[in-house]
Each structure stands twice: as C-alpha cells, then as structure tokens.
Amino acid sequence: MSFRFTRRQFAQTAAAASLTALLPRGVFSAPAAAKKAVIHADQEIATVRPEFHSHFAEHLGSCTYGGIWVGKNSPIPNVNGYRKATVDYLKELGVPVLRWPGGCFADDYHWRDGIGPLSKRPKRVNIHWGQYTEDNSFGTHEFVEFCRLIGAEPYFAANVGTGSPEEMRDWMEYCNYPKGSTLSDERAANGSPEPFKIKYWGIGNELWGCGGAMRPEQAATEYRHFANYARNFGGTELFLIGCGPNGNDAHWTRGFMETLANYRMQGYSMHFYENGSRPPLDFTPETMYAQFNIFPRVEQAIVEQRTLLDTYDPARRIGLILDEWGVWDRIPRSDEERYGRLWQQATMRSAIGAALGLNIFNRQADKLYMCNIAQLVNVLQSVLLTDGPEGKNCVRTANYWAFMLFKPHRSKQAVKVEYDGYSLPLAPAGGRGGRGVAQQEPPSELSLSASRQGGELVVSLVNPRHDQEMQVDCELRGVTARKGSAQILHDSDLNACNSFDHPDRITLKPHEVSAEGNRLRVALPPLSIVTATLQIG
Ligand code: AHR
C-alpha cells in the first residue's frame, strides 16, 4: 500500500492554517510538515486483542528478583514479598498476559527447584545471565500469585533445552490437576488447593539459539514429542506455543512447519528486537533513526510470517505471537554492574519505539495473537525501573506512558488507515533479521493507527522526527466526529528520561485536537505520541 500527498497539495488547503493555530507559538523554528491521512472507520481489520499489550519477565538481572520480588522481610514496601510500587503501577496499567521464567533462562529452569519450603529450595547458577546464584525463592506459586495480584494471565515457558517431556507434563499436572494425585496434593500442601488453571505453555524458547542450538526440523520434532504428553488436566484447555523464528526467518518457519505436519499447536512465537548502537542516554538523531527504521521490518516480518503460516494453516488456527520485542540498546557495563544485567534506562526515544510497535500491532491486528515486550521491570525496554534489586525507588518509564496511551484501543476493532509515507511491502532486507540494526538512517516519518467501537474512534499518531513538527489532517471515512479529546507524551530531548531524581519528567498531558465532521486535525510536536479519542456519529 502506498499513499502520498505532495506538500503543495496540502499547503493549499485551508486546513493547514487552522492547524497552525493548535501549536504553541514560537516553540519550533522549522516550518511544520503537513501530513495527510485517511481513516477508513468503516473498514474493520480485526479486534485489537488486549494480549498485544502483554509482557515478559525473566530471571535476569533485577527483573524478577528485586523488580517484582523483594521478599517478605524486605525494608522495601511490599505486598506479601512483592514490591508494592510494582504491583500498584502494573495494576493501573493492566498486564493482559505475563510470560515467565524466560527467555534463555527457561531452558535451564527446573520447576521443582521453585516449590516447597524456602529453606529446602536449592541454589542454582543462572548460566545465561552472569552465573550468579538463584535461591529459587520466587517459583511457580509466587509467580501465579503475582499474576493474580496484577490481574495478568500467566504464561509459562517450559524447559526443552535441558528438560524432558516428563518434567513438563508433571509441571502441568502440578498446576492444573484439581486434586487427588500426588502432584496436585503436593500443590495443595504448598498452599494452593485450587488448581492454577495455567492455559499458556511455551514449549522451548529460542530453540535456534540459547534453547538448544537446534535446526528447525529438530525443534519441531522436540515440540511434537513434548506436546504429545501435554494434557488438559482438570478441563483447563491448553494453548501450546511452538518456537518460531528469529525475526523474519522463512527458512526456520518452513523447516518447523513441514516437520510439525499439522500436529497440535495453538501458537507460534517469533522474536524480533530493535537493536540500538548507542547507550540509552546517548543516542544521536542518526542512531535513533537507524533504530526506528527497523520497525517497518518488524511489520513486514509479521505480514510475511503470517502469509507463510497460512500456507500450512489456512484457517488460521495457529496464532502468531511476537513473543519478545523491544529496543535493545548498547547498555553500559557500569549500569549493569550497579543495577543488574540488561538494566536499560528508557527515554523519549524508547517511548517512540514502543508506540511504533503498538501502532503496527493495531494495523496488523488480523495477523497477530499476542505480543510480549521485553521485559517487565528493569530489563531492556521496561515499563518500570528500580535503582537495582535493593533500591527503594521505582519509576514509571516513558515506555509505561506509551503503553498507557494505547490502552483505549484494547478490545476495539482496528480499522484500516492510509497516510503519508506508509507503504508495505518494503524492498527485501537481506539476512534473516531478528536483531536488526538498519544500515541507513533516513529520518523516520509519521506513524498512525486507529480503532473503533460503538460511539468511539481512537487514533494514535507518532511523530518520530526530532527536528520537525507535523500537522496531520485526517479524513474520516464512514463516520462523523462530534468532538474529540487527546493526550500527548512528548519531550523535545530524545535522551530525556524519568530518572530517580525526576521520576515524572515524561508523563501524559492533555493535548488539543480539532475533531469535527469528517476531519480530525492534530498537531504533533517533534518526538511526540498522541492518542485522540473521538465521539462519533
Ligand atoms: O530478553 C533477553 C533475552 O533475549 C531472552 O532471554 C532471550 O529469549 C532473548 O535472546
């Protein structure tokens, strides 16, 4: 799809003049770029599944230990051992699904280590993330209780790399069998008489890499073997997830799906990180654009992987899951030493990255089942940051607010959009993607998505440019706007962040938009994300 208006065409419209009035005077020196969009409110794509806004928590650095779990005797304010600020902030945000315990960690995790009396739980070495020892004080019960506290659906990643089908089927029985078997009675004795009813089970993580360095055919053979022993204990219907590709690797998907040969599988996961070449607080406009320019590759990967899956699964019974995604910057060693492995500060740039991803999920709502950003607290593109595992401070990052801005889309129907500069498919990227660093850095342009339900139309717009304000004129097709309101996340410094000294520098503010008849007009300052909610007739 390609859609372009010339600047001259736009400048000739009277709308441009009225848009200028919406921008704060004297703030920007460069002339605003006029952008045009069409929102086809009468052309529905699919439901924006709340699961597109799901998360991932690994035993890595200070994500689980310190970020989520501080222990019941901690001086850090806690709810039964869970960091109170984490619980409160996540409840407010809403986490639809939470994947655990890894990541790479999952394929070296043995669930029995994390149940029973704390004093008897073994200490294990975390071989993937720095060889520190785990005391296993956070295990199955603690994770499920955390999910219940924040209202998330638990998603377990089962161990294929160093595990066995027996270990996985036992974990399923332990969790889901109501009562009367030795394993279910053990669960009850450990404090949970009611079955956990865990539905989502990933069978192996990154089996092409840290999960066992397998070939796709081998990974699918393992999958079949493990899945063969999975049971819907106690009537909990399982949703089994097979290990998909690193990025847009068609070779992996073909090899896996051929060998799978229609064997039972409900979800297929892919991972696609957006690597950055600079430390989080030290991006330049060029390196920022290089990172942003990976996002169209993500969108293309979703389209192409779904198309490929369709050849094996034309009825789309298998859901495509973007199981891990997010910006992965060059993290300074000093930050990791101080706060934990992969501790990554989040900036206005990161928030724009989050919004670029969330816009993609709306636009491709018919092709996706779930998306889990990496990771929940402290690690990579997190929504919360603490000053290390022992630190008392906990801030909501710019990413948190980007997710908040997209919350109004949840469960609405995504609708088709066209806008200046948006076009798919892209030219072939070469390589298999997955840890993408773009080669060229042309400045990124407007990003947009929309959804509707009943009398509401929600539109999210992103201006990723650091040097250019945008005045966006959206034509609404199939609906009439009566009024609209909006919120904005914006900072003109791409490296601005919510620090422990200034925890609320980047936060949501009201933003004026003009919504009337078949027109929505939005002024976007450089580096901004706006969500407008329109009352429609
Ligand atoms: O999220 C960090 C790591 O990235 C995960 O452990 C792994 O699955 C991926 O390579």
PDB file of all heavy atoms in Angstrom, residues 56 58 60 103-104 129 205-206 271 273 324 328 375 380 435, ligand 1:
ATOM      1  N   PHE A  56       6.721  -9.699  29.524  1.00  0.00           N
ATOM      2  CA  PHE A  56       7.617 -10.836  29.697  1.00  0.00           C
ATOM      3  C   PHE A  56       8.535 -10.544  30.877  1.00  0.00           C
ATOM      4  O   PHE A  56       9.077  -9.437  30.981  1.00  0.00           O
ATOM      5  CB  PHE A  56       8.389 -10.985  28.367  1.00  0.00           C
ATOM      6  CG  PHE A  56       9.632 -11.801  28.397  1.00  0.00           C
ATOM      7  CD1 PHE A  56       9.720 -12.995  29.089  1.00  0.00           C
ATOM      8  CD2 PHE A  56      10.751 -11.388  27.673  1.00  0.00           C
ATOM      9  CE1 PHE A  56      10.887 -13.747  29.084  1.00  0.00           C
ATOM     10  CE2 PHE A  56      11.921 -12.124  27.655  1.00  0.00           C
ATOM     11  CZ  PHE A  56      11.984 -13.310  28.376  1.00  0.00           C
ATOM     12  N   GLU A  58      11.749 -12.287  33.082  1.00  0.00           N
ATOM     13  CA  GLU A  58      12.730 -13.381  33.135  1.00  0.00           C
ATOM     14  C   GLU A  58      13.497 -13.324  34.454  1.00  0.00           C
ATOM     15  O   GLU A  58      13.558 -12.273  35.117  1.00  0.00           O
ATOM     16  CB  GLU A  58      13.700 -13.229  31.951  1.00  0.00           C
ATOM     17  CG  GLU A  58      14.712 -14.358  31.846  1.00  0.00           C
ATOM     18  CD  GLU A  58      15.392 -14.422  30.478  1.00  0.00           C
ATOM     19  OE1 GLU A  58      15.198 -13.517  29.656  1.00  0.00           O
ATOM     20  OE2 GLU A  58      16.122 -15.416  30.250  1.00  0.00           O
ATOM     21  N   LEU A  60      16.507 -12.627  35.331  1.00  0.00           N
ATOM     22  CA  LEU A  60      17.598 -11.951  34.628  1.00  0.00           C
ATOM     23  C   LEU A  60      17.841 -10.621  35.337  1.00  0.00           C
ATOM     24  O   LEU A  60      16.891  -9.844  35.498  1.00  0.00           O
ATOM     25  CB  LEU A  60      17.166 -11.709  33.172  1.00  0.00           C
ATOM     26  CG  LEU A  60      18.149 -11.334  32.085  1.00  0.00           C
ATOM     27  CD1 LEU A  60      17.452 -11.140  30.757  1.00  0.00           C
ATOM     28  CD2 LEU A  60      19.067 -10.188  32.385  1.00  0.00           C
ATOM     29  N   GLY A 103      12.493 -16.547  28.122  1.00  0.00           N
ATOM     30  CA  GLY A 103      13.852 -16.310  27.876  1.00  0.00           C
ATOM     31  C   GLY A 103      14.777 -17.535  27.985  1.00  0.00           C
ATOM     32  O   GLY A 103      14.378 -18.672  28.222  1.00  0.00           O
ATOM     33  N   CYS A 104      16.018 -17.192  27.743  1.00  0.00           N
ATOM     34  CA  CYS A 104      17.063 -18.217  27.775  1.00  0.00           C
ATOM     35  C   CYS A 104      17.031 -18.985  29.094  1.00  0.00           C
ATOM     36  O   CYS A 104      17.295 -20.189  29.138  1.00  0.00           O
ATOM     37  CB  CYS A 104      18.431 -17.568  27.576  1.00  0.00           C
ATOM     38  SG  CYS A 104      18.639 -16.810  25.964  1.00  0.00           S
ATOM     39  N   TRP A 129      22.866 -15.567  32.503  1.00  0.00           N
ATOM     40  CA  TRP A 129      22.887 -14.137  32.802  1.00  0.00           C
ATOM     41  C   TRP A 129      23.832 -13.793  33.939  1.00  0.00           C
ATOM     42  O   TRP A 129      23.433 -13.210  34.933  1.00  0.00           O
ATOM     43  CB  TRP A 129      21.459 -13.627  33.058  1.00  0.00           C
ATOM     44  CG  TRP A 129      20.570 -13.866  31.894  1.00  0.00           C
ATOM     45  CD1 TRP A 129      19.523 -14.731  31.822  1.00  0.00           C
ATOM     46  CD2 TRP A 129      20.676 -13.273  30.597  1.00  0.00           C
ATOM     47  NE1 TRP A 129      18.962 -14.719  30.577  1.00  0.00           N
ATOM     48  CE2 TRP A 129      19.653 -13.820  29.801  1.00  0.00           C
ATOM     49  CE3 TRP A 129      21.531 -12.325  30.020  1.00  0.00           C
ATOM     50  CZ2 TRP A 129      19.459 -13.463  28.464  1.00  0.00           C
ATOM     51  CZ3 TRP A 129      21.341 -11.968  28.691  1.00  0.00           C
ATOM     52  CH2 TRP A 129      20.312 -12.527  27.940  1.00  0.00           C
ATOM     53  N   ASN A 205      12.241 -22.058  24.307  1.00  0.00           N
ATOM     54  CA  ASN A 205      12.476 -20.656  23.935  1.00  0.00           C
ATOM     55  C   ASN A 205      13.713 -20.586  23.047  1.00  0.00           C
ATOM     56  O   ASN A 205      14.751 -21.179  23.377  1.00  0.00           O
ATOM     57  CB  ASN A 205      12.723 -19.835  25.211  1.00  0.00           C
ATOM     58  CG  ASN A 205      13.244 -18.433  24.914  1.00  0.00           C
ATOM     59  OD1 ASN A 205      12.495 -17.543  24.505  1.00  0.00           O
ATOM     60  ND2 ASN A 205      14.551 -18.225  25.087  1.00  0.00           N
ATOM     61  N   GLU A 206      13.611 -19.877  21.966  1.00  0.00           N
ATOM     62  CA  GLU A 206      14.755 -19.689  21.056  1.00  0.00           C
ATOM     63  C   GLU A 206      15.522 -20.998  20.885  1.00  0.00           C
ATOM     64  O   GLU A 206      16.729 -21.087  21.141  1.00  0.00           O
ATOM     65  CB  GLU A 206      15.664 -18.551  21.549  1.00  0.00           C
ATOM     66  CG  GLU A 206      14.941 -17.214  21.555  1.00  0.00           C
ATOM     67  CD  GLU A 206      15.840 -15.979  21.705  1.00  0.00           C
ATOM     68  OE1 GLU A 206      17.043 -16.130  21.987  1.00  0.00           O
ATOM     69  OE2 GLU A 206      15.311 -14.855  21.536  1.00  0.00           O
ATOM     70  N   HIS A 271      10.595 -13.865  17.643  1.00  0.00           N
ATOM     71  CA  HIS A 271      11.269 -12.813  18.419  1.00  0.00           C
ATOM     72  C   HIS A 271      11.862 -11.802  17.446  1.00  0.00           C
ATOM     73  O   HIS A 271      12.426 -12.194  16.419  1.00  0.00           O
ATOM     74  CB  HIS A 271      12.408 -13.409  19.267  1.00  0.00           C
ATOM     75  CG  HIS A 271      11.928 -14.276  20.386  1.00  0.00           C
ATOM     76  ND1 HIS A 271      12.758 -14.845  21.320  1.00  0.00           N
ATOM     77  CD2 HIS A 271      10.661 -14.668  20.743  1.00  0.00           C
ATOM     78  CE1 HIS A 271      12.044 -15.546  22.198  1.00  0.00           C
ATOM     79  NE2 HIS A 271      10.774 -15.463  21.852  1.00  0.00           N
ATOM     80  N   TYR A 273      13.916  -8.148  18.038  1.00  0.00           N
ATOM     81  CA  TYR A 273      14.396  -6.988  18.798  1.00  0.00           C
ATOM     82  C   TYR A 273      14.833  -5.881  17.842  1.00  0.00           C
ATOM     83  O   TYR A 273      15.221  -6.146  16.701  1.00  0.00           O
ATOM     84  CB  TYR A 273      15.575  -7.381  19.689  1.00  0.00           C
ATOM     85  CG  TYR A 273      15.147  -8.144  20.923  1.00  0.00           C
ATOM     86  CD1 TYR A 273      15.202  -9.533  20.963  1.00  0.00           C
ATOM     87  CD2 TYR A 273      14.680  -7.477  22.041  1.00  0.00           C
ATOM     88  CE1 TYR A 273      14.791 -10.235  22.100  1.00  0.00           C
ATOM     89  CE2 TYR A 273      14.281  -8.163  23.179  1.00  0.00           C
ATOM     90  CZ  TYR A 273      14.333  -9.543  23.199  1.00  0.00           C
ATOM     91  OH  TYR A 273      13.922 -10.221  24.331  1.00  0.00           O
ATOM     92  N   GLU A 324       8.824 -11.862  21.968  1.00  0.00           N
ATOM     93  CA  GLU A 324       9.793 -10.928  22.558  1.00  0.00           C
ATOM     94  C   GLU A 324      10.052  -9.847  21.522  1.00  0.00           C
ATOM     95  O   GLU A 324      10.371 -10.157  20.372  1.00  0.00           O
ATOM     96  CB  GLU A 324      11.120 -11.630  22.896  1.00  0.00           C
ATOM     97  CG  GLU A 324      11.007 -12.601  24.053  1.00  0.00           C
ATOM     98  CD  GLU A 324      12.336 -13.240  24.452  1.00  0.00           C
ATOM     99  OE1 GLU A 324      13.400 -12.617  24.234  1.00  0.00           O
ATOM    100  OE2 GLU A 324      12.306 -14.370  24.972  1.00  0.00           O
ATOM    101  N   TRP A 328      16.712  -2.696  22.115  1.00  0.00           N
ATOM    102  CA  TRP A 328      17.819  -3.305  22.872  1.00  0.00           C
ATOM    103  C   TRP A 328      19.046  -2.446  22.567  1.00  0.00           C
ATOM    104  O   TRP A 328      19.646  -2.565  21.507  1.00  0.00           O
ATOM    105  CB  TRP A 328      18.018  -4.751  22.436  1.00  0.00           C
ATOM    106  CG  TRP A 328      18.984  -5.552  23.260  1.00  0.00           C
ATOM    107  CD1 TRP A 328      20.142  -5.121  23.845  1.00  0.00           C
ATOM    108  CD2 TRP A 328      18.880  -6.948  23.598  1.00  0.00           C
ATOM    109  NE1 TRP A 328      20.751  -6.146  24.524  1.00  0.00           N
ATOM    110  CE2 TRP A 328      20.002  -7.284  24.392  1.00  0.00           C
ATOM    111  CE3 TRP A 328      17.950  -7.955  23.299  1.00  0.00           C
ATOM    112  CZ2 TRP A 328      20.219  -8.581  24.884  1.00  0.00           C
ATOM    113  CZ3 TRP A 328      18.172  -9.238  23.786  1.00  0.00           C
ATOM    114  CH2 TRP A 328      19.290  -9.541  24.571  1.00  0.00           C
ATOM    115  N   GLN A 375      11.510  -6.197  28.750  1.00  0.00           N
ATOM    116  CA  GLN A 375      10.855  -7.042  29.711  1.00  0.00           C
ATOM    117  C   GLN A 375      10.125  -6.145  30.710  1.00  0.00           C
ATOM    118  O   GLN A 375      10.274  -4.922  30.671  1.00  0.00           O
ATOM    119  CB  GLN A 375      11.869  -7.911  30.418  1.00  0.00           C
ATOM    120  CG  GLN A 375      12.571  -8.888  29.484  1.00  0.00           C
ATOM    121  CD  GLN A 375      13.354  -9.966  30.244  1.00  0.00           C
ATOM    122  OE1 GLN A 375      13.320 -10.060  31.462  1.00  0.00           O
ATOM    123  NE2 GLN A 375      14.079 -10.794  29.486  1.00  0.00           N
ATOM    124  N   LEU A 380      15.894  -4.356  29.651  1.00  0.00           N
ATOM    125  CA  LEU A 380      15.592  -3.911  28.289  1.00  0.00           C
ATOM    126  C   LEU A 380      14.489  -2.837  28.295  1.00  0.00           C
ATOM    127  O   LEU A 380      14.561  -1.908  29.078  1.00  0.00           O
ATOM    128  CB  LEU A 380      15.285  -5.113  27.385  1.00  0.00           C
ATOM    129  CG  LEU A 380      16.463  -6.097  27.257  1.00  0.00           C
ATOM    130  CD1 LEU A 380      16.084  -7.321  26.437  1.00  0.00           C
ATOM    131  CD2 LEU A 380      17.695  -5.419  26.643  1.00  0.00           C
ATOM    132  N   ARG A 435      17.725  -9.399  15.067  1.00  0.00           N
ATOM    133  CA  ARG A 435      18.489  -8.488  15.914  1.00  0.00           C
ATOM    134  C   ARG A 435      18.876  -7.339  14.999  1.00  0.00           C
ATOM    135  O   ARG A 435      20.030  -7.039  14.804  1.00  0.00           O
ATOM    136  CB  ARG A 435      19.765  -9.143  16.450  1.00  0.00           C
ATOM    137  CG  ARG A 435      19.536 -10.218  17.451  1.00  0.00           C
ATOM    138  CD  ARG A 435      19.071  -9.623  18.784  1.00  0.00           C
ATOM    139  NE  ARG A 435      19.055 -10.640  19.829  1.00  0.00           N
ATOM    140  CZ  ARG A 435      18.093 -11.534  19.982  1.00  0.00           C
ATOM    141  NH1 ARG A 435      17.059 -11.534  19.172  1.00  0.00           N
ATOM    142  NH2 ARG A 435      18.147 -12.410  20.950  1.00  0.00           N
TER     143      ARG A 435
HETATM  144  O1  AHR B   1      15.160 -10.840  26.714  1.00  0.00           O
HETATM  145  C1  AHR B   1      16.506 -11.198  26.848  1.00  0.00           C
HETATM  146  C2  AHR B   1      16.846 -12.447  26.050  1.00  0.00           C
HETATM  147  O2  AHR B   1      16.660 -12.202  24.696  1.00  0.00           O
HETATM  148  C3  AHR B   1      15.987 -13.654  26.318  1.00  0.00           C
HETATM  149  O3  AHR B   1      16.421 -14.372  27.414  1.00  0.00           O
HETATM  150  C4  AHR B   1      16.133 -14.449  25.080  1.00  0.00           C
HETATM  151  O4  AHR B   1      14.987 -15.213  24.796  1.00  0.00           O
HETATM  152  C5  AHR B   1      16.421 -13.409  24.014  1.00  0.00           C
HETATM  153  O5  AHR B   1      17.533 -13.734  23.276  1.00  0.00           O
END
